[in-house]
Amino acid sequence: MKLRLLSLFLIFIFSSCAVTSRIENDHVSLNYLDEFVIDENLEFENTKIGGLSGIDYASGKFYLVSDQSSNPRIYQAVIKIADSRIQNIEINDLIEITRPEEYSKVVLDLEGVRYDSNNNGFLVVSEGLISDRRDPGIYETNTQGEILSSYIIPEYFQSKNEQKPRNNGVFEGITKSVDGAGVWVATELPLEKDSSKPKIFPSRSHSRITRFDTETKNPVSQFVYPLEGIAKLPINYFALNGITEILEYAQDRFLVMERSYSAGYGSHGNTVKIFDVDASKATNTLNENLLRKAKYQTAKKKLIFNFKSVNDQLTDGIVDNIEGMCFGPELENGNRSLILVADNNFNSFVRQLNQFILMEINISE
């Protein structure tokens, strides 16, 4: 009897980890097409290809950002797609991020990149180094990678603020707004005083997704996103779940990617999910310094893809540390492609992959 009660309790816990705020009507569907893995030993212009934490596509070219803070850089690549498959990936240029004196002490742990056609350059987001009181940031560069300016971030995201951003859990996802006047930036994890980190049991874990004006570089609005719980019971102590990338595909409608990791599973510790998110009725929380005491409506979300469903089609059944996502070129059937990339963490202890994934996205009217 005790065993049965324990089983029922565990079933309740794991079923309760699902989100309760759902989108009623199906609007977006995703279809897995293909995978391509770049050798982890591949080098280009004396740099090792790895740490690929962001990807974007513009005018036939792909841009990949590496999060190696000792040598922040963007790779330019050509990804040949035909017959719904990735035929080849060729790295053909290296853009090193350089900075004038005023940014000399900034830690550039780059986690996202978007090509900025308005200014003929790039927008990159950095997590900084909170443990060393180095702020996260949003930076504008030219095509040569030189930092030209930075965005103004609210005080609660700053490392010295009493809100206390979580180390390695600040700015992670970035997307240009569909109206062309702004950029949205997501925090991977909740601020410490906003709410707890996701747990294996039901918990209130809320991250902020903030819109910035591209002209003034000021924050202008924000909504709260409810995170899923940890996907797997960790064998070892460490586990987390957070936002790794966002894409706005229509006004206040987003694709949001979450990556959960549980230690003790070797190369199989990651669980990656993509959600369709409606923020149209979410409360603007930009001026809320402390979410824990505030009343607000979160964005609504619906799970539209779990990579667990295609594990048998991936290299050794591994869905890796996927952190980058962008819209790619049109497919032969007229639908848009979606390209994802994994950050291999330059890991020499456990096998991780420079993994690229090709998907088909269908958005209904």
Side-chain angles (χ1 to χ4, degrees), residues 33-37 78-89 338-340 356-359:
L33 297 177
D34 195 24
E35 177 208 45
F36 192 99
V37 176
V78 174
I79 300 179
K80 184 178 180 182
I81 299 170
D83 300 322
S84 297
R85 298 184 65 83
I86 299 176
Q87 305 293 331
N88 189 42
I89 297 178
L338 193 71
I339 315 295
L340 286 67
F356 291 76
I357 289 176
L358 171 66
M359 305 187 78

Side-chain angles (χ1 to χ4, degrees), residues 304-322:
I304 55 174
F305 200 87
N306 186 340
F307 279 89
K308 182 179 179 180
S309 66
V310 295
N311 275 355
D312 59 348
Q313 300 178 59
L314 302 174
T315 298
D316 296 336
I318 299 170
V319 58
D320 218 313
N321 179 33
I322 298 179

